[in-house]
Amino acid sequence: MGLLLVASLGLSGAVLLFDGAFALASGAVAAVTGASTVRARMVRREADLHLRNKSLARAAANPKVRYRGRMVPVARAVADTSRRTSVRVFNAARRNILTMPAEAMPVVGLGVVAAATAWELHDSCELMAELHELDVAFNPDAAIDGDAVCGMEVPDAGALAQQVRARVSSGAGALGDGFANMFR
């Protein structure tokens, strides 16, 4: 009887201290009774958690955002916006350089300035829309106002000429007063 008590205590200690002994005892109980053991449920739960962690790690490695109505990886949303804006900025810069000679021409230059500015304003509006789409993907509740630039109006060539004449005449008067005061 004493030997049975020592063996029982030894088996209990081994089951508590060693995973292999616990697995062996659990398997024996399940084989004899046909019941699911605590260990079997723990092993299944651990395997499920392991699969879930792998899935979450994959999702975290390549997060997705809603961009232009679709769920896309963050990198693709940023790359698309970068490509679109870089093409737009390049074209705007090229157009600015190409219109410079015509803008410098008397009379005709005012019309070119007005047209080029209107075109640039249109491009700026489109650029803001692109940035708004990207911002909505990352900050849906506090996105920038994509229409802030789009509401601006460019004066036509006649109104622009009138503004230039008014500023030149007021500037010439101030310039004349400045010269007069220099020699007193």
Side-chain angles (χ1 to χ4, degrees), residues 4 7 15-16 47 57 78 82 88 91-92 109 141 147 153-154 163 181:
L4 188 60
V15 166
L16 289 174
V78 171
S82 295
R88 194 174 308 284
N91 288 337
D141 297 329
D147 295 328
E153 291 187 25
V154 177
Q163 289 176 6
N181 292 334

Side-chain angles (χ1 to χ4, degrees), residues 26-112:
S26 178
V29 169
V32 171
T33 64
S36 176
T37 63
V38 171
R39 184 177 192 289
R41 287 191 300 268
M42 286 175 34
V43 167
R44 275 196 307 274
R45 174 98 172 112
E46 183 180 0
D48 290 345
L49 288 174
H50 182 69
L51 288 175
R52 176 83 174 127
N53 285 344
K54 284 176 77 172
S55 172
L56 289 172
R58 276 193 304 274
N62 194 15
K64 293 189 176 190
V65 292
R66 181 164 298 285
Y67 175 70
R68 299 179 155 267
R70 296 183 1 239
M71 292 302 289
V72 299
V74 168
R76 186 181 305 162
V78 171
D80 182 61
T81 301
S82 295
R83 182 189 55 78
R84 289 169 177 268
T85 56
S86 66
V87 168
R88 194 174 308 284
V89 168
F90 174 79
N91 288 337
R94 185 177 57 180
R95 198 170 31 251
N96 277 338
I97 291 169
L98 293 174
T99 59
M100 286 174 72
E103 289 175 357
M105 297 171 81
V107 183
V108 175
L110 288 176
V112 175

Side-chain angles (χ1 to χ4, degrees), residues 92 95-96 99-100 103 109-126 149-150 152-157 160 163:
R95 198 170 31 251
N96 277 338
T99 59
M100 286 174 72
E103 289 175 357
L110 288 176
V112 175
V113 167
T117 303
W119 204 348
E120 190 172 325
L121 191 59
H122 170 74
D123 280 350
S124 295
C125 179
E126 293 295 316
V149 174
C150 300
M152 296 178 163
E153 291 187 25
V154 177
D156 62 14
L160 190 57
Q163 289 176 6

